[in-house]
Amino acid sequence: LPQKIPQNERSFMDYIYFRITGEHLDLPSMIENIGIKPEKLYHKGERYRTRPIGAIPAEEKEYDFDGFMSMIECDFKDTEKQLERLIEQLYFKKEFLLSLSEQAESMTVWVNLYPETYQQNLHISPKSMGMLAYMHISLDITSMNLTALTD
């Protein structure tokens, strides 16, 4: 069974990632042209270790592709605003991202929600959805309630 997280160590923050993956990506050019500092850059064949999750042990793996990933940590009350802000920031670079979409395997905004209760709503405006679609950027949303792992 997963270990419980003590009450004083709870961290119910949401995370928003912008991730680009593909073969032979020009990572320095991406950093310069997108204007977002990456949290992580990785190259095909580079080794990494997964994090253990509950009873699932960590593993040693290799990346199958090059990648660029930025991360925004936000309080759950601010997640919608942070998401809208990121999409608008990316839209200012739409011409570069459109050209990059030709060579990238995927471009994704990925939202991880960690609600303190069993429900957390996330509103995404039609304008934001249209901007993502125009740039060929997919949207992934994951929601995981962590209260089962806490005291």
Side-chain angles (χ1 to χ4, degrees), residues 20 31 37-38 58-59 63 79 94 96 112:
I20 302 170
I31 294 168
K37 180 182 176 252
E59 294 181 64
Y63 287 109
T79 303
K94 64 183 173 274
F96 177 77
N112 284 342

Side-chain angles (χ1 to χ4, degrees), residues 18-31 33-34 38 40-44 63-69 96-108:
F18 176 56
R19 183 173 53 190
I20 302 170
T21 61
E23 296 278 330
H24 311 293
L25 296 175
D26 184 350
L27 299 174
S29 173
M30 290 167 51
I31 294 168
N33 287 292
I34 296 172
K40 183 173 187 130
L41 295 172
Y42 46 90
H43 301 279
K44 182 176 181 172
Y63 287 109
D64 296 331
F65 40 73
D66 294 338
F68 168 105
M69 183 167 57
F96 177 77
L97 290 169
L98 279 171
S99 68
L100 186 59
S101 72
E102 301 289 322
Q103 70 182 84
E105 185 173 312
S106 73
M107 297 193 305
T108 306

Side-chain angles (χ1 to χ4, degrees), residues 6-61:
Q7 179 100 14
N8 63 345
E9 292 180 26
R10 287 186 194 179
S11 178
F12 291 107
M13 299 297 285
D14 292 338
Y15 296 89
I16 302 170
Y17 300 93
F18 176 56
R19 183 173 53 190
I20 302 170
T21 61
E23 296 278 330
H24 311 293
L25 296 175
D26 184 350
L27 299 174
S29 173
M30 290 167 51
I31 294 168
E32 181 181 327
N33 287 292
I34 296 172
I36 295 175
K37 180 182 176 252
E39 192 73 28
K40 183 173 187 130
L41 295 172
Y42 46 90
H43 301 279
K44 182 176 181 172
E46 187 178 316
R47 299 192 65 73
Y48 70 98
R49 189 160 177 79
T50 63
R51 289 186 281 172
I53 301 173
I56 302 169
E59 294 181 64
E60 185 94 6
K61 293 187 173 189

